[in-house]
Amino acid sequence: MKRNTKINLLLLFLVAALAVLPLALGLGDHKKEPFTGADAEAETAITELKPDYEPWFSPLYEPPSGEIESALFALQAALGAGVLAYYFGLRRGRRQGEQRALEREADGALPGAAGKSAAERD
């Protein structure tokens, strides 16, 4: 097995462990909503420390339920992943294209290869 394959499998195992261990160990069982986001945790902490606190801003759009909010967040994450995948794919394709162009130029500079097509050289 290649070294990169071993590293990728190890990283995949670690990600799976990070996702499963909190559930398996029962972390958060003492809370009403055990795995809320950081925003909800911060809001709870602020209201406990200073009950008369009023936020400076209000959201532009308040989803009607938590499920819709989660779906919108997942959609945002998917769009971001798509943009990043497109960018990295484009970079790789350009790099491969440049490399192929350099190889073609090097093949064309070989003695005896002038005037021959790619099929004739192979």
Side-chain angles (χ1 to χ4, degrees), residues 9-65:
L9 287 174
L10 177 65
L11 290 173
L12 184 65
F13 174 75
L14 288 174
V15 168
L18 284 173
V20 172
L21 280 176
L23 298 173
L25 297 176
L27 299 176
D29 284 345
H30 62 283
K31 295 181 180 180
K32 185 172 77 173
E33 293 183 35
F35 298 108
T36 57
D39 291 344
E41 292 287 331
E43 184 179 346
T44 302
I46 289 170
T47 54
E48 285 177 4
L49 294 173
K50 193 171 183 183
D52 58 337
Y53 174 79
E54 289 192 29
W56 294 359
F57 301 101
S58 62
L60 297 175
Y61 171 70
E62 187 72 35
S65 69

Side-chain angles (χ1 to χ4, degrees), residues 104-117:
R104 271 188 248 125
E105 287 177 10
D107 286 347
L110 292 175
K116 292 185 180 178
S117 69

Side-chain angles (χ1 to χ4, degrees), residues 47-98:
T47 54
E48 285 177 4
L49 294 173
K50 193 171 183 183
D52 58 337
Y53 174 79
E54 289 192 29
W56 294 359
F57 301 101
S58 62
L60 297 175
Y61 171 70
E62 187 72 35
S65 69
E67 290 83 10
I68 294 175
E69 186 176 358
S70 294
L72 290 173
F73 181 75
L75 177 66
Q76 178 185 358
L79 287 172
V83 167
L84 283 175
Y86 175 78
Y87 171 73
F88 286 120
L90 185 69
R91 278 189 49 193
R92 182 174 182 185
R94 284 184 179 171
R95 191 175 338 115
Q96 286 176 347
E98 290 171 359

